[in-house]
C-alpha cells in the first residue's frame, strides 16, 4: 500500500501542477542537452561527476534559478524509462502511466549519455548506476520542498517502489536507499547553500563508503 500511496502522490502533484507545460519544456530541454554532442564532450573531458554538475547547472538556467522546479525536472529527465506500469490494488489490474519525457530519439540518446559511473562502488558493467540520478534528484526534490517535515525519505521509497514496479530488480537495493539518503541531504543543504553542487554530495558518499570498507 505504501507503494501505491507514493505513486499516487507524485502523479497527483504533477497533474495539478500549475506549470505542467513549463515542466514538460524543462524536461525536454534538459534531455536535449544530455543528448547533445556538447554534453558528450563534457563527460569525456571532465568525467561523470562533473557531467552531473553540468546537467544541474543547465537545468537551473532552464528553470530560471527555481531550485524546486530544477530538482523536479531533473528527476524526470534522468529517469531511464518513459512509462510506468502500475498494479492497481484490489482489482489487481496493470495500467501504464506515461511519464513526462522527450521524443523517442532524444530520449534514447539521453539514456546513452547519462552519467552512470558515479561512485567508488558503481558496478563495473554497461548499466553502472544509470538509475541513481533519478533516485538522487527525486529525493532532493521533496526534501527541498518540504516545509513541515522531511518528505525526502518518502520519495526515496517511492522511487524504490517505482523501480520494483518495472521489475528492474526483484528486491529493494540497499544502494538505492543509500543514494536516496544523500539526495535528501542535498535537498536539505541546498536550502541553506545555493552554491552547493550535486558532485559534492555524490563524492561524499564515495568517501564514506571508502571509510566503511577500511
Amino acid at each position: 500500500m505504501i507503494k501505491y500511496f507514493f505513486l499516487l502522490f507524485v502523479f497527483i502533484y504533477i497533474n495539478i501542477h500549475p506549470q505542467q507545460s513549463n515542466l514538460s519544456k524543462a524536461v525536454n530541454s534538459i534531455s536535449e542537452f544530455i543528448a547533445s554532442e556538447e554534453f558528450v564532450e563534457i563527460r569525456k573531458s571532465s568525467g561523470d561527476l562533473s557531467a552531473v554538475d553540468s546537467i544541474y547547472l543547465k537545468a537551473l538556467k532552464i528553470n530560471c534559478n527555481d531550485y524546486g522546479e530544477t530538482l523536479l525536472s531533473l528527476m524526470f529527465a534522468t529517469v531511464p524509462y518513459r512509462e510506468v506500469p502500475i498494479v492497481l490494488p484490489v482489482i489487481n489490474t496493470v495500467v501504464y502511466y506515461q511519464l513526462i519525457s522527450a521524443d523517442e530519439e532524444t530520449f534514447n540518446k539521453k539514456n546513452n549519455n547519462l552519467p552512470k559511473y558515479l561512485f567508488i562502488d558503481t558496478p563495473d558493467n554497461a548499466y553502472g548506476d544509470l538509475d541513481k540520478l533519478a533516485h538522487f534528484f527525486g529525493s532532493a526534490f521533496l526534501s527541498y520542498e518540504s516545509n513541515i517535515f522531511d518528505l525526502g525519505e518518502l520519495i526515496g521509497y517511492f522511487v524504490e517502489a517505482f523501480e520494483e514496479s518495472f521489475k528492474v530488480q526483484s528486491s529493494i537495493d540497499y544502494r538505492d536507499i543509500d543514494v536516496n539518503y544523500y539526495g535528501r541531504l542535498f535537498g536539505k543543504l541546498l536550502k541553506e547553500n545555493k552554491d552547493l553542487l550535486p558532485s559534492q554530495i555524490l563524492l561524499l558518499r564515495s568517501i564514506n563508503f571508502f571509510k566503511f570498507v577500511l
Side-chain angles (χ1 to χ4, degrees), residues 43 48 111-112 114-117 122-130:
R43 192 177 170 205
D48 278 11
N111 278 356
N112 288 335
L114 272 174
K116 62 185 75 172
Y117 303 110
T122 293
D124 187 18
N125 55 44
Y127 189 83
D129 276 328
L130 187 67

Side-chain angles (χ1 to χ4, degrees), residues 4-15:
Y4 302 124
F5 173 79
F6 296 123
L7 286 171
L8 184 62
F9 174 85
V10 174
F11 293 152
I12 288 176
Y13 178 91
I14 295 166
N15 286 317

